[in-house]
Amino acid sequence: MVEDGHDLVGVGRDVHDARRRKPDVRWIAADMSRLLAAADWMPLLVGVGAVVNAAGALQDGPRDHLDAIHRLSIAALVTACEQAGVRQLVQVSAIGADPASDNAFFRTKAEGDRAVASSSLEWTILRPGLVIAPGAYGGTALLRALAAFPWFVPAILADRPIQTVPIAEVAEAVSRAVGGRLARGQIIDLVEERARPLGAVLLEFRAWLGLPKARVVTVPAIVGRLAGMVADGLGLLGWRSPLRSAALAALEKGVTGNSNPGPISLIAHRKLW
């Protein structure tokens, strides 16, 4: 975005590292789970022409409140944008977002998307598949943990179909949306062309990490569920384990989307590794 000539304002709960890595951006420390009214957002929108929301949390915990982050805060942001005259909003959501889902992550993501799509703004909603990034978070953290296991790769749900997308391609899609190079008023999936079994994705992830070759060992689903229950318990103490049940539930149904997004097909279909 800086390379596109934009002056950026970044908002995050902890911006210390962000300031160090991106000193050209003006950083503001704020907790979205507390910005629940349009008035809370108004001071942050002064002089802003477009908003990109890439905030998200995988599972409820001591620091994470999904309904507040994904739904209530987004609804307040939309209202604030309308009142402040900020016309453009790009929402980075997730594949699988569904208001009828029994998974709180996907349900609240969809509710936030609905607030954006029902607004008077010029909006674009991007729904990435499993995002591959140098930093470990969400589903990426789970893959990294499994792929980096010593001696063998334990694959829970090894046959589940997965479509990935590199973080650079997500950033490129955001750049195109803000720059008007994507038609507005669209919900667009960002995924690679074909789904692959999770086991195959783990092996490629292991090679990407520079680790020696190892064989995939299928682990019974019950083992994953038990590990998820233990991780959820530890999560109540503040440890955000990659094995939490929300990540496993997302993998259990597969991570797939529409791989023919028209104007951004050249973004989403490049080789990932």
Side-chain angles (χ1 to χ4, degrees):
M1 299 292 290
V2 173
E3 291 78 2
D4 294 337
H6 299 292
D7 294 323
L8 298 189
V9 178
V11 177
R13 187 163 50 190
D14 183 355
V15 298
H16 176 75
D17 287 344
R19 284 190 179 124
R20 177 175 54 82
R21 294 177 181 178
K22 297 291 184 180
D24 294 335
V25 176
R26 181 164 69 91
W27 293 98
I28 300 173
D31 186 345
M32 278 187 63
S33 66
R34 299 178 182 274
L35 304 178
L36 304 181
D40 299 330
W41 282 101
M42 294 299 278
L44 304 178
L45 297 178
V46 175
V48 170
V51 172
V52 177
N53 172 49
L58 184 62
Q59 192 164 335
D60 284 319
R63 297 185 65 202
D64 299 320
H65 307 284
L66 299 190
D67 193 55
I69 296 169
H70 295 163
R71 183 178 69 88
L72 297 174
S73 186
I74 300 308
L77 172 60
V78 166
T79 301
C81 286
E82 291 174 329
Q83 293 177 355
V86 179
R87 295 305 309 152
Q88 189 175 7
L89 175 58
V90 178
Q91 163 90 335
V92 181
S93 183
I95 287 288
D98 181 353
S101 175
D102 57 1
N103 183 303
F105 173 80
F106 294 117
R107 184 175 63 254
T108 55
K109 273 290 189 182
E111 289 167 348
D113 292 352
R114 181 161 51 192
V116 173
S118 62
S119 74
S120 63
L121 304 176
E122 297 173 0
W123 56 267
T124 304
I125 296 173
L126 303 174
R127 290 182 171 173
L130 191 65
V131 179
I132 304 299
Y137 59 90
T140 302
L142 177 56
L143 258 66
R144 184 185 295 266
L146 295 174
F149 203 80
W151 304 302
F152 66 94
V153 178
I156 304 166
L157 310 167
D159 61 341
R160 293 303 190 271
I162 304 293
Q163 285 173 291
T164 62
V165 59
I167 189 68
E169 310 296 8
V170 178
E172 174 65 16
V174 169
S175 173
R176 291 194 184 194
V178 171
R181 290 174 286 157
L182 288 182
R184 290 164 185 166
Q186 291 191 92
I187 299 176
I188 303 171
D189 292 350
L190 299 178
V191 291
E192 60 186 317
E193 187 171 6
R194 294 183 180 85
R196 293 171 291 166
L198 176 59
V201 173
L202 286 172
L203 288 179
E204 291 199 56
F205 207 114
R206 185 177 179 87
W208 183 63
L209 291 171
L211 298 173
K213 291 182 179 180
R215 66 189 182 93
V216 172
V217 176
T218 301
V219 177
I222 185 63
V223 174
R225 295 190 186 99
L226 290 173
M229 291 172 61
V230 172
D232 287 350
L234 293 173
L236 297 175
L237 302 176
W239 184 48
R240 304 169 83 190
S241 167
L243 283 172
R244 285 179 297 171
S245 59
L248 295 169
L251 290 178
E252 188 161 10
K253 71 173 190 175
V255 181
T256 59
N258 175 15
S259 62
N260 185 27
I264 59 168
S265 59
L266 292 179
I267 299 175
H269 293 177
R270 288 187 221 161
K271 186 171 177 58
L272 303 179
W273 311 89

